[in-house]
Amino acid sequence: MNLHPSLLPRYRGSAPLHHVLLNGDTRSGVFYVYECQFVRLFGRAYCWLVGYVTLCSSWCHDCWGLRFVAGVSVIELSKRRFDHGRVLHQEQFDVDDTWLYKDLFEHSASVGAEAVLNVLQDFENRLAQARPQDSFQWEPSLAPKVTKNDKVVDFAIDSAEMVRNKQRAFSKVRCMLQGLDVLITGTLSPLHEPVPSIVQEALRNAQPGAFVCGPGKKVLWIKCADTHHANKTHGSAERVLLPVTQLQLPTRASVGPAAFLNQLSQLTHLK
């Protein structure tokens, strides 16, 4: 039996939690996957024992070190592919749009740990009712290992929502602002944060990557790509303009917009 933190067959692979956030999913879940060879090779009693005492991450050490997918796992030695076994149970839950990776990780682990025990307590019935993955409504998809390139933002290509999702998935994303390498370490939802009219006017005809500080200098608004091709008079600003609350220059600490602009001014003056 194996615990996988996604709605299988969606997000098969080593990084389902990252891809839930990268794709902006609002509903996720955990599955309990029955792998018949595990029971056949090791016996039902061993399956129950390991189910209660094993708490690890998928591909243990690599996952913890790189913050990839982790959860309660009982893994069989199967000749088949990973994450293709029959489904014993599926538990769905909503994903709050304020959650970062660590929040989704902790919630998935909590839901998964409790549900694994529930499945084991009714193991015979769950096993008898196991369903193949292709009987579920979810489209099969992969969640491959994330790379450094996934953590890079290109404002000419990425929409505000896409940049926000990357920051949620990785905590820090790299971009270029005024020719400088900058880390974005805090954002607000571009779909829910009202855009001040003065900001809309200042960035209306600007190129992607342009930015301006909002009233109070608590939010830095960065213009991104309009990948939604929204109506230009209604709603496009919320998709194009990204509200940023924390940024970090090389060798500097993460700071708010006001302090960031002061640091940026000093560096520009030195040039």
Side-chain angles (χ1 to χ4, degrees):
M1 191 173 70
N2 177 56
L3 173 65
H4 187 81
S6 79
L7 297 174
L8 288 171
R10 186 165 172 80
Y11 298 139
R12 290 169 173 156
S14 63
L17 297 184
H18 282 102
H19 288 272
V20 165
L21 296 175
L22 287 171
N23 291 324
D25 290 356
T26 57
R27 180 167 287 274
S28 187
V30 290
F31 279 88
Y32 308 90
V33 183
Y34 169 64
E35 303 286 8
C36 58
Q37 291 190 21
F38 183 88
V39 176
R40 185 164 61 247
L41 289 174
F42 298 100
R44 185 67 51 77
Y46 182 77
C47 177
W48 276 61
L49 175 63
V50 176
Y52 277 105
V53 302
T54 299
L55 177 64
C56 68
S57 63
S58 304
W59 299 281
C60 302
H61 301 294
D62 291 340
C63 293
W64 282 113
L66 297 178
R67 295 185 67 193
F68 292 159
V69 175
V72 180
S73 301
V74 182
I75 305 170
E76 74 145 351
L77 302 176
S78 175
K79 295 181 180 180
R80 300 178 62 187
R81 293 175 293 176
F82 283 108
D83 305 328
H84 281 71
R86 293 188 299 162
V87 175
L88 289 169
H89 178 72
Q90 170 188 340
E91 188 75 31
Q92 299 184 26
F93 58 84
D94 293 330
V95 179
D96 193 292
D97 66 3
T98 64
W99 284 1
L100 304 179
Y101 177 87
K102 64 180 180 63
D103 303 308
L104 179 58
F105 175 90
E106 291 172 358
H107 189 77
S108 297
S110 176
V111 172
E114 180 179 353
V116 161
L117 294 179
N118 291 337
V119 168
L120 290 173
Q121 290 169 0
D122 191 29
F123 188 75
E124 294 293 341
N125 289 333
R126 300 281 188 173
L127 186 59
Q129 299 174 16
R131 294 167 53 187
Q133 292 185 20
D134 58 12
S135 69
F136 287 85
Q137 61 180 312
W138 317 110
E139 289 292 330
S141 63
L142 298 179
K145 182 178 178 179
V146 293
T147 68
K148 291 182 179 180
N149 290 336
D150 295 320
K151 304 176 185 180
V152 176
V153 167
D154 185 342
F155 294 116
I157 298 174
D158 297 330
S159 69
E161 187 177 2
M162 292 167 65
V163 178
R164 160 72 171 164
N165 290 341
K166 286 186 177 184
Q167 191 271 317
R168 292 174 63 204
F170 303 117
S171 295
K172 298 180 180 182
V173 290
R174 192 173 301 279
C175 68
M176 296 295 293
L177 291 177
Q178 291 191 354
L180 293 175
D181 190 17
V182 176
L183 293 177
I184 296 176
T185 58
T187 59
L188 300 173
S189 172
L191 300 182
H192 298 152
E193 188 70 13
V195 182
S197 57
I198 189 173
V199 171
Q200 293 191 44
E201 186 62 31
L203 295 177
R204 186 180 305 279
N205 299 316
Q207 295 297 312
F211 58 87
V212 65
C213 224
K217 296 187 176 181
K218 294 182 178 181
V219 177
L220 187 77
W221 295 88
I222 304 178
K223 188 165 186 178
C224 303
D226 186 1
T227 59
H228 293 267
H229 302 290
N231 185 306
K232 298 301 181 181
T233 59
H234 297 286
S236 62
E238 286 77 7
R239 294 188 175 93
V240 175
L241 302 181
L242 174 71
V244 177
T245 57
Q246 291 286 314
L247 305 99
Q248 183 176 351
L249 286 165
T251 72
R252 304 289 182 92
S254 179
V255 295
F260 170 76
L261 291 178
N262 287 336
Q263 294 177 357
L264 193 63
S265 177
Q266 294 173 6
L267 290 176
T268 303
H269 179 71
L270 290 175
K271 286 185 176 182

